[in-house]
């Protein structure tokens, strides 16, 4: 059974850093397309980043240069290093698994990041 | 960036109704279009990918169609568990973008 369990969210001051984790089971993160999608409170969905099985990465302009997506194959875990956090980064962050034609097939339950002083 | 629009933004329907939601892309995206269902306090759930492919485990009353810029999600006979918000998303061009959502509630 595919499972995605996010962790690492919390309350952080503007300018601070957080690292989100997404522990995967039932499949290998290295063989799949892994994304982060966020949802600000009461708002719609926003794609943020993707890590392809081949290692390529892409980011939304809103986070480019501040956030980094990566994986640890030995731990079967996806990460999201978030630096220089801003109030507008406040959101529920979802880890999502997909493949070559089905990019956003499985979603985790999300981890909440709140950026506030 | 490709802009995704959805219509209507909300609708009220009854159990058993046929419901159609439209999604339009600001430029052609071939068939790189997905549909998601989200219920309050829950993670989104994938319904349709590649515009018309039904995700495994999703009831056959859900269907998707379209290509290029115009797409539709149809629920052939609305069930009580279908009351939710529906989002379309393009994944043809970066950044991948979502529509603003269509809220389906009970009439």
């Amino acid at each position: 059974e595919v499972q995605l369990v996010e962790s690492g969210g919390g309350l952080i001051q503007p300018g601070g850093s957080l690292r989100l984790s997404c522990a995967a089971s039932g499949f290998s993160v290295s063989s799949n397309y892994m994304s982060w999608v966020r949802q600000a409170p009461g708002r719609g969905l926003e794609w943020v980043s993707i890590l392809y099985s081949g290692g390529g990465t892409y980011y939304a302009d809103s986070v480019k240069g501040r956030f980094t997506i990566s994986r640890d194959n030995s731990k079967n875990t996806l990460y999201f290093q978030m630096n220089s956090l801003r109030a507008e980064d406040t959101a529920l962050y979802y880890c999502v698994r997909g493949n070559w034609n089905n990019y956003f097939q499985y979603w985790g339950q999300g981890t909440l990041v709140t950026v506030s002083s | 960036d490709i802009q995704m629009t959805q219509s209507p933004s909300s609708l009220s329907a009854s159990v058993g109704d046929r419901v159609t939601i439209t999604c339009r892309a600001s430029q052609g995206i071939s068939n790189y279009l997905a549909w998601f269902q989200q219920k309050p306090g829950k993670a989104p759930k994938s319904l349709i990918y590649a515009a018309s492919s039904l995700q495994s485990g999703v009831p056959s009353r859900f269907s998707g169609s379209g290509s290029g810029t115009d797409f539709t999600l149809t629920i052939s006979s609305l069930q009580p568990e279908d009351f939710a918000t529906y989002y379309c998303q393009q994944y043809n061009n970066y950044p991948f973008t979502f529509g603003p959502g269509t809220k389906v509630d009970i009439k």
Side-chain angles (χ1 to χ4, degrees):
Chain A
E1 179 190 7
V2 171
Q3 283 200 328
L4 297 162
V5 179
E6 301 96 333
S7 61
L11 175 63
I12 186 77
Q13 290 189 338
S17 297
L18 275 180
R19 189 179 78 160
L20 306 183
S21 300
C22 172
S25 58
F27 72 99
S28 171
V29 295
S30 64
S31 302
N32 287 266
Y33 297 1
M34 300 299 298
S35 295
W36 290 97
V37 175
R38 68 185 180 183
Q39 187 169 34
R43 305 293 297 275
L45 299 169
E46 179 188 15
W47 171 81
V48 184
S49 182
I50 190 168
L51 171 57
Y52 289 102
S53 52
T57 59
Y58 290 86
Y59 300 89
D61 285 348
S62 58
V63 306
K64 197 176 298 182
R66 299 188 298 125
F67 294 5
T68 303
I69 191 171
S70 64
R71 67 191 180 212
D72 184 329
N73 297 341
S74 67
K75 295 182 178 179
N76 208 31
T77 298
L78 180 74
Y79 298 104
F80 207 34
Q81 179 66 43
M82 310 165 67
N83 298 332
S84 303
L85 282 160
R86 306 167 180 166
E88 54 265 35
D89 296 319
T90 293
L92 188 59
Y93 284 74
Y94 293 104
C95 169
V96 189
R97 172 217 168 179
N99 59 41
W100 69 275
N101 74 334
N102 192 358
Y103 277 42
F104 300 91
Q105 184 177 13
Y106 295 104
W107 296 62
Q109 289 305 302
T111 186
L112 181 63
V113 173
T114 303
V115 184
S116 175
S117 55
Chain B
D1 297 3
I2 294 177
Q3 306 302 315
M4 306 299 291
T5 57
Q6 289 182 233
S7 60
S9 57
S10 65
L11 66 90
S12 295
S14 301
V15 173
D17 284 353
R18 182 182 182 87
V19 169
T20 298
I21 299 170
T22 297
C23 176
R24 177 165 289 175
S26 60
Q27 63 188 76
I29 58 169
S30 184
N31 69 333
Y32 290 91
L33 191 284
W35 289 96
F36 304 92
Q37 175 194 67
Q38 188 176 33
K39 298 179 180 179
K42 299 294 186 182
K45 173 186 175 182
S46 177
L47 300 175
I48 301 286
Y49 64 97
S52 59
S53 296
L54 191 67
Q55 200 65 258
S56 176
V58 173
S60 58
R61 62 180 180 272
F62 290 93
S63 64
S65 65
S67 183
T69 60
D70 295 312
F71 303 85
T72 58
L73 173 70
T74 300
I75 309 172
S76 60
S77 178
L78 198 67
Q79 298 301 301
E81 60 268 30
D82 300 337
F83 292 97
T85 299
Y86 294 85
Y87 294 93
C88 63
Q89 183 210 24
Q90 68 82 19
Y91 52 102
N92 187 63
N93 289 73
Y94 303 106
F96 301 153
T97 43
F98 288 87
T102 295
K103 185 175 181 180
V104 177
D105 60 24
I106 303 171
K107 182 183 286 184

